[in-house]
């Protein structure tokens, strides 16, 4: 049994916003479904964990990829500062959401080390996104170009971890 | 020459007015996630909107009355009321999404948070609705929306492997790693985006505003049969741009800012400026059309005076309703709900409500009392019935698919 007690299966906040009334209805249905199962699930099964972890990684890859585009557009002088700043800010928000989703996963005992690696890598990715966004909001798009390599590096390692979770 | 110019203007505004926030988000999202494998849905959606818009235009041109005015008489108040409630709710949600889209477009241009732009957007929409003539509302933003052709230029500039795009589009299959229910859920979203009910309300009511008669039928048909398919091509270009640029990077579209990435990548600052203005025009024009459609639907149902040609004092209930819809849309977006999420819900619910919009049109388009011998041909009826079966299946499947896929996740 997990220390975290009875929890809802984590789901992302991607795309459809949790604030919508219908999302609440969907959430209510999920609550009923969980209650119907006796609320007995703690840690996930290995397959469930892998699937959820891959989903969190995919979302983080999307966020880091977006920031990577922002950095390359800035480097090549192909976008206005305002657009680049919005792009990096959106990427940071999406990345934070993906990190929250990844952090809420309950790994089975045999995947505890993978979960640790996932948390660390998602944290690194969010740090890179914060740095990119801070640069875009502060020094400006030109300085952001230097972040492109770091973002690409993080994304490469995320893709590698996702491959191992397949 | 004047007539030819009128036709050209109508076609151009139909193209520019076809794409709204729903099309922008749905096509980019689908392209980034599923490639061109759902392009067939856009084709089905465009054929459907052409089919039913032609019927609505014909009814208006021959009777001088908008479709939903006749629906109440033909189907009775009870069915008409159910239709009205569903249609107005979906149209209101679309209005909120469009105003959120305007605010997001302004954020892209200024880096000022979109929430700060929402009240100003509402105020601007209200002022234009109050002051501007119908022709201005219809033409100005439709023509500016044509700037979204920049997606076609960007796609060309990106030099994609056309054979791969064609292969994906003509051999639809669920991409590896995606579930079939999710694929169908987004197919429904795309269909809802292409066949949004408000487009028919606005088209039909606009015909009355412009005093269409039987002589205008040919023009209306040209607008529909040329303008909408070309608008559909714009949708496919948005999808293809996302397929070529965003999908290889693993980017799933969650923000309007991401929709513009392919254009900036291909065309730089100039393209980016054009696409942001295009976003603004498409969403602002649709915000006005949806707010007017809320007023049209209710006023026509209850038999109130309505229309831009009538002085606000003489059509007080219509204007009040329209402005209240704008205000409520502003308040909804100001709650902080994600405008892109509102967009996604609006197109999915639009898809679920499609039979309520299109079944009455089919009934009225077969009414010999109203249309004489200009009722639907047997072929038109056969195709329309196939569509109704499809739309009914979509309506039944939408909510279960939404639950099963956790709204497409």
């Amino acid at each position: 049994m997990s220390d975290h007690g009875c929890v809802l299966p984590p789901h992302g906040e991607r795309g459809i916003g949790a604030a919508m009334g219908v999302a609440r209805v969907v959430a209510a249905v999920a609550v009923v479904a969980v209650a119907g199962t006796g609320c007995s699930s703690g840690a996930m099964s290995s397959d469930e964990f892998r699937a959820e972890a891959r989903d969190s990684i995919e979302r983080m890859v999307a966020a880091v990829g977006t920031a990577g585009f922002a950095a390359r557009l800035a480097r090549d002088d192909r976008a206005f500062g305002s657009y680049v700043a919005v792009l990096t800010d959106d990427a940071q928000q999406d990345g934070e959401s993906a990190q929250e989703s990844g952090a809420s996963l309950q790994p089975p005992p045999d995947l505890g080390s993978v979960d640790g690696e996932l948390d660390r890598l998602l944290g690194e990715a969010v740090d890179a996104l914060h740095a990119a966004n801070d640069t875009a909001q502060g020094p400006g798009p030109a300085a952001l170009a230097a972040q492109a390599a770091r973002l690409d590096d993080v994304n490469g390692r995320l893709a590698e971890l996702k491959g191992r979770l397949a | 020459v004047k007539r030819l110019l009128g036709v050209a203007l109508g076609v151009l505004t139909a193209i520019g007015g076809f794409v709204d926030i729903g099309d922008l988000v749905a096509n980019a999202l689908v392209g980034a996630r599923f490639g061109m494998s759902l392009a067939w849905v856009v084709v089905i959606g465009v054929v459907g909107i052409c089919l039913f818009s032609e019927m609505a235009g014909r009814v208006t041109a021959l009777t001088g009355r908008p479709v939903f005015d006749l629906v109440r008489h033909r189907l009775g108040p009870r069915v008409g009321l159910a239709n009205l409630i569903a249609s107005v709710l979906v149209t209101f949600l679309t209005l909120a999404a469009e105003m959120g889209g305007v605010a997001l477009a302004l954020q892209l241009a200024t880096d000022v948070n979109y929430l700060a732009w929402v009240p100003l957007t509402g105020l601007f929409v209200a002022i234009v609705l109050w002051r501007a003539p119908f022709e201005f509302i219809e033409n100005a933003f439709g023509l500016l929306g044509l700037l979204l052709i920049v997606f076609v230029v960007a796609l060309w500039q990106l030099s994609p492997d056309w054979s791969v795009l064609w292969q994906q589009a003509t051999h639809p299959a669920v991409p590896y790693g995606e579930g079939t229910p999710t694929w169908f859920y987004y197919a429904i979203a795309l269909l809802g985006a292409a066949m949004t009910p408000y487009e028919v309300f606005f088209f039909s009511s606009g015909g009355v505003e412009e005093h269409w008669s039987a002589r205008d039928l040919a023009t209306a048909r040209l607008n529909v049969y040329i303008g909408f398919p070309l608008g559909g091509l714009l949708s496919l270009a948005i999808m293809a741009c996302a397929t070529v640029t965003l999908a290889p990077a693993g980017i799933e579209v969650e923000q309007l800012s991401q929709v513009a990435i392919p254009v900036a990548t291909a065309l730089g600052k100039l393209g980016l400026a054009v696409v942001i203005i295009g976003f603004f025009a498409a969403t602002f024009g649709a915000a006005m059309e949806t707010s007017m459609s809320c007023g049209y639907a209710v006023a026509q149902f209850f038999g109130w005076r309505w229309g831009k040609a009538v002085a606000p004092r003489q059509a007080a209930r219509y204007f009040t309703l329209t402005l209240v819809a704008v205000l409520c849309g502003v308040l909804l977006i100001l709650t902080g709900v994600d405008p892109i999420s509102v967009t996604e819900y609006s197109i999915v619910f639009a898809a679920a409500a499609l039979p309520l919009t299109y079944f009455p049109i089919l009934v009225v388009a077969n009414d010999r009392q109203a249309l004489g011998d200009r009722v639907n041909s047997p072929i038109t009826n056969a195709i329309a019935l196939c569509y109704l079966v499809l739309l009914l299946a979509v309506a039944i499947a939408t909510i279960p698919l939404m639950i099963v896929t956790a709204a497409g996740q």
Side-chain angles (χ1 to χ4, degrees), chain B residues 193-226:
Chain B
M195 293 185 72
T196 318
Y198 84 84
E199 289 174 355
V200 186
F201 301 150
F202 189 76
F203 186 69
S204 168
S205 304
V208 178
E209 297 260 27
E210 293 178 322
H211 307 292
W212 285 356
S213 66
R215 288 181 56 203
D216 298 302
L217 202 51
T219 307
R221 282 178 170 154
L222 282 173
N223 291 352
V224 167
Y225 290 143
I226 300 176

Side-chain angles (χ1 to χ4, degrees), chain A residues 10-35:
Chain A
H11 64 87
E13 293 169 14
R14 173 183 60 185
I16 307 295
M20 286 294 297
V22 174
R24 292 199 190 102
V25 173
V26 173
V29 170
V31 169
V32 171
V34 169

Side-chain angles (χ1 to χ4, degrees), chain B residues 9 47 89 125 137 152-153 203-204 286 320 352 401:
Chain B
L9 184 64
V47 172
L89 284 177
V125 168
I137 291 174
V152 178
V153 180
F203 186 69
S204 168
T320 304
L401 276 177

Side-chain angles (χ1 to χ4, degrees), chain B residues 38-404:
Chain B
L38 287 171
W40 56 275
V41 179
V42 175
V43 177
I44 289 177
V46 168
V47 172
I49 192 83
C50 286
L51 186 74
F52 286 95
S53 292
E54 189 279 332
M55 287 183 215
R58 178 156 34 94
V59 169
T60 300
L62 296 177
T63 64
R65 295 164 72 181
V67 170
F68 290 89
D69 187 10
L70 290 168
V71 164
R72 185 185 52 155
H73 291 286
R74 190 71 175 76
L75 298 182
R78 197 172 293 174
V79 177
L81 188 64
N83 179 300
L84 176 75
I85 291 170
S87 302
V88 169
L89 284 177
V90 168
T91 304
F92 168 71
L93 208 53
T94 311
L95 164 63
E98 304 293 355
M99 287 201 292
V102 174
L104 287 173
L106 290 168
Q107 183 184 10
L108 292 183
T110 61
D111 192 23
V112 173
N113 190 290
Y114 76 93
L115 287 172
W117 288 112
V118 172
L120 291 173
T121 299
L123 186 65
F124 192 26
V125 168
I127 289 171
V128 175
L129 279 171
W130 193 266
R131 302 293 303 174
F134 182 84
E135 288 73 18
F136 174 81
I137 291 174
E138 188 183 36
N139 296 332
F141 293 95
L143 288 175
L144 264 181
L146 275 176
L147 290 176
L148 292 176
I149 286 176
V150 74
F151 277 101
V152 178
V153 180
L155 182 62
W156 189 264
Q157 194 70 20
L158 288 166
S159 303
D161 186 335
W162 296 101
S163 63
V164 171
L165 292 180
W166 179 251
Q167 174 76 14
Q168 287 180 9
T170 54
H171 296 77
V174 183
Y176 176 75
E178 293 288 356
T180 304
T182 310
W183 193 66
F184 276 112
Y185 178 77
Y186 280 105
I188 286 174
L190 265 185
L191 191 69
M195 293 185 72
T196 318
Y198 84 84
E199 289 174 355
V200 186
F201 301 150
F202 189 76
F203 186 69
S204 168
S205 304
V208 178
E209 297 260 27
E210 293 178 322
H211 307 292
W212 285 356
S213 66
R215 288 181 56 203
D216 298 302
L217 202 51
T219 307
R221 282 178 170 154
L222 282 173
N223 291 352
V224 167
Y225 290 143
I226 300 176
F228 285 175
L230 290 177
L233 275 182
L234 262 185
S235 297
L236 289 174
I238 295 168
M239 188 188 288
C241 277
T243 301
V244 170
T245 309
L246 305 182
I251 293 177
E252 293 179 7
V253 173
E254 298 176 49
Q255 313 283 354
L256 187 64
S257 58
Q258 293 166 313
V259 181
I261 286 176
V263 176
T265 303
L267 302 171
K269 287 179 177 173
L270 181 61
L272 185 60
V274 170
V275 82
I276 290 173
I277 296 171
F279 285 167
F280 175 81
T283 51
F284 196 88
M288 284 188 296
E289 291 181 8
T290 45
S291 54
M292 289 167 76
S293 294
C294 287
Y296 285 151
V298 176
Q300 288 164 15
F301 180 84
F302 289 108
W304 301 340
R305 293 197 74 178
W306 59 272
K308 284 293 296 170
V310 185
R313 190 174 290 180
Q314 291 170 327
R317 284 177 290 196
Y318 162 75
F319 275 94
T320 304
L321 226 155
T322 304
L323 295 178
V324 166
V326 173
L327 180 65
C328 291
V330 166
L331 293 176
L332 177 60
I333 298 299
L334 280 179
T335 61
V337 62
D338 177 15
I340 301 299
S341 301
V342 178
T343 302
E344 291 177 7
Y345 273 120
S346 73
I347 56 180
V348 170
F349 285 134
L354 286 176
L356 289 171
T357 304
Y358 291 110
F359 172 68
I361 294 176
L362 181 60
V363 171
V364 175
N366 280 288
D367 187 340
R368 282 198 181 276
Q369 271 188 331
L371 302 184
D373 59 355
R374 306 291 278 273
V375 292
N376 281 355
S377 70
I379 295 175
T380 304
N381 275 336
I383 301 171
L385 279 174
C386 291
Y387 263 89
L388 274 184
V389 171
L390 172 73
L391 298 182
L392 208 57
V394 164
I396 292 168
T398 300
I399 301 302
L401 276 177
M402 181 182 270
I403 293 169
V404 166

Side-chain angles (χ1 to χ4, degrees), chain A residues 5-137:
Chain A
C6 177
V7 293
L8 284 175
H11 64 87
E13 293 169 14
R14 173 183 60 185
I16 307 295
M20 286 294 297
V22 174
R24 292 199 190 102
V25 173
V26 173
V29 170
V31 169
V32 171
V34 169
T37 63
C39 204
S40 58
S41 62
M44 298 168 147
S45 72
S46 179
D47 285 347
E48 284 170 343
F49 175 80
R50 285 171 186 276
E52 294 287 347
R54 281 201 307 273
D55 183 58
S56 296
I57 292 173
E58 280 173 10
R59 293 172 52 199
M60 186 61 84
V61 164
V64 175
T66 300
F69 264 111
R72 284 187 289 277
L73 288 171
R75 180 193 64 201
D76 301 338
D77 195 26
R78 297 184 80 76
F80 312 113
S82 60
Y83 174 71
V84 170
V86 173
L87 211 50
T88 54
D89 194 45
D90 287 344
Q92 181 183 309
Q93 286 176 33
D94 292 344
E96 285 169 348
S97 166
Q99 186 191 28
E100 275 178 32
S101 166
S104 68
L105 299 181
Q106 310 292 312
D110 58 320
L111 289 174
S113 62
V114 177
D115 185 52
E117 189 179 355
L118 176 70
D119 286 345
R120 185 177 48 75
L121 202 45
L122 291 178
E124 273 187 50
V126 167
D127 288 344
L129 289 171
H130 274 284
N133 192 29
D134 290 347
T135 309
Q137 309 293 338

